[in-house]
Amino acid sequence: MPRFSIVVPSHGVAGRLSQALDSILAQSFGDFELIPVCDAPDSPAADVVAGYAKRDSRVTPVHSPPSAGLAGARNTGLRSAVGGHVLFLDGDDILVPGALAALDARLGAVGDVDVLYFEHERTPWWEGEPANPAAPLLAGTPDGAFSLDRAPRLTGVALPAWSAAYRRGFLTEHGLAFPGDHFTDTGFGGLVALRAEWVAALRAVVVRHLLRRQGSRLNLPGEHHAELLDQTELVLTRAVEQGLPADRLGPLFEQLFAAVLKTAAHPRRLPAGRRAFFRRASALYRRHRPAGYQPPGGSLGVQHRLLAAGSYAAFRTLRAANRRAARAAALLPRPRGLRTRLRYAAGLRLPLDENLAVYCAYWGRGYACNPAAIHAKARELAPHIRSVFLVEPDAADSVPKDVEYAVIGSRKYWQVLARAKYLVNNANFADAVVKRPGSVHLQTQHGTPLKRMGADQATYPVVAAATGSFARLLARVDRWDYNLTSNRHSTEIWEKAFPGAHETLEYGYPRNDVYYTASAEDVARARKELGVPDGKKALLYAPTHRDYATGFTSGPDLAEFCDAIGDEYVVLLRAHYFYDRGSSRGGGRIIDVTGHRSSEDVCLAADALITDYSSIMFDYANLDRPIVVYADDWDVYREVRGVYFDLMASPPGRVARTPEELAAVFRDGGWADESATALRAAFRERFCQFDDGRAAERVVRRVLLGEPPESIPPVTPLAERVPAPAATLVRS
């Protein structure tokens, strides 16, 4: 029997789950079993856990459906546990180094007590000083094992479940499990403290709790706050039935109603039903108030008295002024210009237009990428929705004639932004845009991440300096309702890079639909538009941006490269969009396609791709055509920009590090040989998971038409997909 069983629920934290599991498996004390609780065998977290289970026999995953909630996940893990003591750790928290050794030593000193309480550090995810809220509660406790009669303020309801180690036999003997769904820590902690005969304290930090930027999910608006009253009633009823002494009942009552009053006074937590919540809380207060109980002093004491009296009107008035001031500040629009601010503010007072959708791509560069693909599909499946594309003034001429658009900064721009029900972007809308209640923001992204993105850039000085304020970036993330992903890798990375309360849609990238729906005629048309000569093999060269370089450099000398590989090839040069001057450069065998509106057409026209670290490789892999990586500065790029995985260890094809190696790969046929094909197959298996030609349809049905998740068309397996044909190559 292992010393410890560690239960780790993982719903919604796949992106940070690895650091939690690593913190456990790296402990110097190794006598434990690790029980990750996953939603289902094919969930994002299950993919993460599977790798750990293969490497370490102590990892024994179990499954609990998301509908069972946190309580169900913990109870499932608890039923599977066989260790002497059980610990619970949230999937986005960590055990500090040496934690298990310290727990083992303390249990050895005090004996196998029912509960060993310990300290935890609450670490703000982004900024702020860490806090140790358990320290004051544990500071005055006896040194050895003790009864809770000697520490009446240690009620259990003020500590999370992961701030203690529980003797498994004790939990089993008393049938203790996590009650309800929401606020389950309150109920569990209270019931455990009521039953525990002997406890002890370890006055050291064991768990580092990483605070979410949005705070606890429990604090989000919704009807679930009524469950706080359920848990309060459950614990107090059991306390009375058990005949809890008055010196313990008083602190328990006070701590429970401190949480109740905090919720009752918080307008955002209870957008509706505040009066009903208050009335029920008032009835509970009067029913369970201990004899002779004296409310605390100050403002909190006033709230206690109003709750006891059932004076909702007075309670509401006490907070009204502050609520009005906060609401006014939150809704204050800040676009530049007084006249624009007034117009936008006026638009925000009008009802949302339920049939208006606004799209934008690459900060207004034109009609492109995922927003354009969703826009086109929406006109087919949801024609009742008016769609307006936002573009910069110099991009207006590139918008298709039948697409309605608004120039960024214009009067129409602010009008549609103020009233649109749906806002779709592959980057971000301006900071001044207000997230209205009822509006739906969809972030589509514009690539699969190899390089560090979002908040993960903070530790890379060169990139961080160019990114600007991370606080503002994350405030924009807070507006998202949905975030789109094309593979499980992206699902995990976006969760870390753009932490927020949005829902992830594993639907694929709509812009990549064309790679499965295009015909040979479409490929021929694209090649003709780009000027690719008949019979020539077109090699697309698409390097990415270097944060540490000034201006665009093509890497290898393309003219020398063309001379070295022979006349059968032409090169399509597509520089990063940062360097798009809107006109062509070069000529002859080097065709500059940087300014071409559609990167998808450029990819369709190319028989093979040469790139460095650009995310275009992930999209192009859908075509199952050869990819060559030119990595002359990989070590510098990885050090300065930061990457999520070692591309050199898992490339999509052959790798060249010098111009000579690059030319040789094409001269000797290595770019398309069996080895390159095998590398590409593994790459596609990992990164082309959800792109199957129907991504746009899935997005429109779910986001714009509001269809339930279970009715959305499933993703076609990779082996059953047929990519668009290449012009001159036979695909393996």
Side-chain angles (χ1 to χ4, degrees):
M1 180 178 70
R3 179 63 149 156
F4 299 108
S5 294
I6 307 172
V7 178
V8 184
S10 62
H11 177 66
V13 295
R16 296 190 179 275
L17 181 59
S18 291
Q19 67 180 8
L21 302 183
D22 288 342
S23 74
I24 298 169
L25 295 173
Q27 293 287 315
S28 58
F29 183 90
D31 186 15
F32 63 84
E33 63 170 348
L34 171 54
I35 308 175
V37 187
C38 307
D39 295 346
D42 60 347
S43 66
D47 285 353
V48 175
V49 168
Y52 285 89
K54 289 179 181 178
R55 297 190 298 269
D56 198 315
S57 61
R58 295 174 297 178
V59 181
T60 56
V62 296
H63 302 287
S64 176
S67 58
L70 177 61
R74 286 175 172 169
N75 289 334
T76 297
L78 179 58
R79 287 192 295 270
S80 302
V82 297
H85 280 75
V86 182
L87 288 86
F88 300 94
L89 184 72
D90 284 356
D92 52 357
D93 293 342
I94 61 175
L95 282 184
V96 301
L100 295 183
L103 290 173
D104 177 67
R106 184 60 174 157
L107 288 171
V110 300
D112 283 341
V113 291
D114 295 332
V115 186
L116 175 61
Y117 292 102
F118 48 74
E119 296 177 6
H120 63 272
E121 183 178 84
R122 294 169 60 87
T123 304
W125 179 86
W126 185 242
E127 58 186 8
E129 293 297 323
N132 186 343
L137 281 174
L138 303 183
T141 57
D143 289 335
F146 59 91
S147 164
L148 284 172
D149 291 338
R150 298 178 59 192
R153 297 203 62 79
L154 190 55
T155 65
V157 301
L159 292 175
W162 36 260
S163 195
Y166 309 89
R167 185 169 62 84
R168 186 172 60 86
F170 157 71
L171 297 178
T172 303
E173 291 162 12
H174 295 284
L176 291 168
F178 288 87
D181 186 6
H182 300 90
F183 302 97
T184 186
D185 281 15
T186 299
F188 181 76
L191 296 177
V192 164
L194 290 175
R195 288 293 188 181
E197 296 183 8
W198 293 100
V199 304
L202 172 62
R203 300 186 192 94
V205 171
V206 170
V207 171
R208 182 166 293 120
H209 174 56
L210 305 180
L211 294 173
R212 295 171 180 268
R213 290 185 50 252
Q214 296 78 14
S216 170
R217 291 172 177 170
L218 294 178
N219 295 335
L220 296 175
E223 298 178 355
H224 64 277
H225 287 282
E227 292 191 31
L228 174 58
L229 301 180
D230 295 340
Q231 302 288 359
T232 297
E233 184 172 18
L234 171 65
V235 173
L236 288 175
T237 299
R238 293 282 180 86
V240 172
E241 292 172 351
Q242 190 172 312
L244 196 69
D247 61 341
R248 287 185 61 187
L249 185 58
L252 176 64
F253 178 87
E254 183 171 303
Q255 290 175 19
L256 285 168
F257 276 96
V260 169
L261 285 167
K262 188 174 182 179
T263 296
H266 202 300
R268 291 187 178 180
R269 296 183 189 178
L270 295 167
R274 286 194 291 272
R275 185 185 296 272
F277 182 94
F278 186 89
R279 286 177 174 172
R280 184 184 169 197
S282 178
L284 285 175
Y285 189 97
R286 292 192 296 271
R287 184 185 317 145
H288 291 284
R289 178 173 48 188
Y293 174 74
Q294 293 296 320
S299 175
L300 182 59
V302 174
Q303 294 179 45
H304 270 260
R305 291 178 175 84
L306 294 176
L307 187 63
S311 302
Y312 177 71
F315 186 88
R316 182 181 58 188
T317 302
L318 186 66
R319 295 289 184 177
N322 289 338
R323 290 204 301 268
R324 284 195 298 268
R327 189 180 302 117
L331 294 177
L332 182 64
R334 302 184 183 277
R336 294 181 179 179
L338 177 60
R339 184 177 301 176
T340 303
R341 286 201 300 271
L342 294 175
R343 286 174 179 165
Y344 185 50
L348 292 172
R349 289 194 292 270
L350 298 174
L352 281 176
D353 187 336
E354 298 290 328
N355 293 317
L356 175 59
V358 170
Y359 300 81
C360 190
Y362 299 116
W363 304 275
R365 289 183 58 246
Y367 186 78
C369 196
N370 291 319
I374 297 170
H375 174 277
K377 184 59 68 173
R379 293 205 294 178
E380 173 189 334
L381 299 180
H384 62 286
I385 295 180
R386 175 191 173 199
S387 299
V388 181
F389 225 91
L390 308 180
V391 294
E392 289 287 356
D394 58 0
D397 292 340
S398 67
V399 179
K401 300 302 181 185
D402 59 344
V403 173
E404 182 180 359
Y405 69 89
V407 173
I408 291 177
S410 67
R411 181 174 182 176
K412 180 180 179 180
Y413 167 83
W414 288 109
Q415 286 176 335
V416 295
L417 280 176
R419 300 200 58 196
K421 166 82 171 185
Y422 307 101
L423 294 95
V424 181
N425 207 324
N426 74 349
N428 268 301
F429 291 99
D431 291 343
V433 173
V434 173
K435 174 67 165 75
R436 295 186 62 178
S439 66
V440 178
H441 284 238
L442 168 64
Q443 168 58 248
T444 74
Q445 303 294 347
H446 53 270
T448 290
L450 167 62
K451 60 189 177 186
R452 296 278 173 167
M453 300 292 291
D456 288 342
Q457 299 172 340
T459 55
Y460 293 85
V462 173
V463 188
T467 301
S469 169
F470 284 95
R472 291 171 63 185
L473 181 150
L474 295 171
R476 295 191 291 269
V477 171
D478 288 341
R479 296 186 301 213
W480 302 354
D481 294 289
Y482 298 103
N483 185 36
L484 202 57
T485 177
S486 61
N487 47 63
R488 191 58 53 77
H489 163 80
S490 295
T491 299
E492 297 175 13
I493 296 305
W494 294 147
E495 183 179 317
K496 294 190 297 182
F498 302 114
H502 49 266
E503 178 182 349
T504 296
L505 300 179
E506 292 184 321
Y507 287 175
Y509 282 159
R511 72 181 185 189
N512 292 343
D513 285 352
V514 69
Y515 297 144
Y516 296 98
T517 61
S519 64
E521 290 74 19
D522 295 321
V523 173
R525 172 194 52 77
R527 289 169 67 89
K528 183 176 181 180
E529 287 182 359
L530 296 173
V532 178
D534 292 340
K536 297 289 187 181
K537 293 184 177 71
L539 306 179
L540 171 59
Y541 177 58
T544 192
H545 168 64
R546 303 294 197 278
D547 300 273
Y548 48 86
T550 301
F552 172 71
T553 56
S554 66
D557 186 305
L558 294 182
E560 291 183 1
F561 172 69
C562 288
D563 291 340
I565 63 176
D567 293 340
E568 62 181 304
Y569 300 97
V570 296
V571 173
L572 304 177
L573 168 61
R574 189 169 182 84
H576 191 276
Y577 57 79
F578 286 177
Y579 310 110
D580 178 11
R581 302 177 191 169
S583 60
S584 296
R585 300 187 295 277
R589 293 177 60 194
I590 302 171
I591 305 172
D592 189 330
V593 295
T594 303
H596 193 276
R597 177 181 63 83
S598 171
S599 62
E600 292 74 46
D601 278 359
V602 173
C603 288
L604 285 173
D607 298 292
L609 170 68
I610 305 170
T611 187
D612 43 20
Y613 327 118
S614 170
S615 65
I616 197 172
M617 74 178 79
F618 301 99
D619 304 310
Y620 191 84
N622 283 285
L623 289 167
D624 198 13
R625 302 177 190 175
I627 301 173
V628 175
V629 175
Y630 181 67
D632 62 333
D633 62 345
W634 169 250
D635 294 334
V636 175
Y637 187 88
R638 179 174 56 181
E639 181 72 20
V640 176
R641 188 60 173 84
V643 295
Y644 288 112
F645 68 93
D646 186 356
L647 181 64
M648 301 301 101
S650 305
R654 289 302 186 92
V655 176
R657 290 184 176 268
T658 67
E660 293 75 20
E661 289 181 5
L662 181 63
V665 164
F666 284 90
R667 283 199 307 267
D668 63 19
W671 62 295
D673 64 11
E674 290 184 4
S675 174
T677 301
L679 290 169
R680 186 169 73 252
F683 192 84
R684 296 183 75 236
E685 188 73 26
R686 180 179 181 186
F687 296 112
C688 298
Q689 287 174 288
F690 309 136
D691 290 331
D692 65 350
R694 302 188 68 181
E697 177 186 352
R698 285 189 280 268
V699 171
V700 171
R701 292 191 182 280
R702 177 70 189 283
V703 178
L704 301 185
L705 297 179
E707 295 183 8
E710 57 270 18
S711 70
I712 304 303
V715 174
T716 303
L718 183 63
E720 299 176 16
R721 302 175 206 164
V722 180
T728 66
L729 296 175
V730 176
R731 188 171 45 248
S732 300

